[in-house]
Amino acid sequence: MNAPSSRSPRKAKGQGAERREEILAAALSLFTEFGIYAVSTRQIAQAVGISQPTLYAYFPTKDDIGHELQDRAFALLAGKLAGDRGPIVDLDGVVRMLRIYVDFGLENPDMYRIAFMSEGQHVRKLRHEPKDMAALPAVQETYGVLRGELAKLQGRGLTIDLDIETLTQCAWSAMHGLVSLLIAKPGFPWAEREHLITSQLGVIARGVWRGGP
């Protein structure tokens, strides 16, 4: 299917304060439906009802739009992970922390796709070198919250004997696998959804936990 080419009514001048958000919302919708590669800045501009040169005044390239959407998704997730939920003192606490990540992805599938399920030049890539992490503040913040919580547990001798980076990345990749599959393959004959989620989170939590029940 091709991306839409119909033009929305042209926006009147004087709406610049809202225009950036309109561009981002339109891009997110188009990227989700058609894929980043299939959507052009001209089509995004048409969806918003502005000219292509006007769009460039806010975002010089499609990459910049993708980066902004990705950064926002990471920042929102980081905020939720760092929310006021109290210290983790038992296995259930680990599960609750992991559940925040899963709920975010399933409640915000469009944002999750852009942040975690897109590849290529339009979305920043996260590699394992520390310098790459430092170059991506939003990614670093999100990863850092999860890493920080697991490091606290590790400091108290409550996790398995594994270096903190590997431990964090094992937990992250396991959660991502669940979320991305539920988003990308809704037609698969999954087990009852809530049972599957709680079971998977229990498996992940028990995989990192070495404390008591």
Side-chain angles (χ1 to χ4, degrees), residues 144-163:
V145 173
L146 179 60
R147 182 188 185 281
E149 291 299 328
L150 292 176
K152 292 176 186 176
L153 295 177
Q154 190 174 72
R156 292 158 51 199
L158 297 177
T159 67
I160 61 173
D161 187 15
L162 196 64
D163 70 273

Side-chain angles (χ1 to χ4, degrees), residues 188-203:
F188 185 82
W190 300 107
E192 192 278 323
R193 188 182 181 93
E194 180 62 22
H195 174 67
L196 176 63
I197 293 171
T198 56
S199 297
Q200 170 74 338
L201 294 181
V203 169

Side-chain angles (χ1 to χ4, degrees), residues 75-121:
L76 179 59
L77 175 55
K80 290 182 177 295
L81 287 171
D84 184 15
R85 50 181 161 69
I88 298 174
V89 297
D90 54 20
L91 186 61
D92 287 342
V94 178
V95 172
R96 285 194 296 272
M97 177 183 66
L98 301 178
R99 184 66 191 247
I100 292 171
Y101 180 101
V102 172
D103 285 347
F104 169 82
L106 297 179
E107 291 169 4
N108 303 277
D110 292 352
M111 295 185 72
Y112 192 88
R113 284 180 183 272
I114 293 297
F116 293 100
M117 299 170 65
S118 298
E119 297 181 356
Q121 62 181 352

Side-chain angles (χ1 to χ4, degrees), residues 39-87:
V39 177
S40 68
T41 53
R42 182 182 298 277
Q43 290 160 340
I44 297 171
Q46 289 176 345
V48 178
I50 60 176
S51 68
Q52 197 172 13
T54 298
L55 181 146
Y56 289 146
Y58 294 90
F59 298 97
T61 68
K62 184 166 66 172
D63 288 2
D64 293 311
I65 298 175
H67 295 165
E68 176 70 16
L69 289 170
Q70 186 185 44
D71 286 349
R72 287 189 176 199
F74 278 126
L76 179 59
L77 175 55
K80 290 182 177 295
L81 287 171
D84 184 15
R85 50 181 161 69

Side-chain angles (χ1 to χ4, degrees), residues 34 36-37 45 53-54 76 79 98 130 132 177 182 200 207:
F34 300 103
I36 291 177
Y37 291 110
T54 298
L76 179 59
L98 301 178
D132 295 312
L182 288 176
Q200 170 74 338

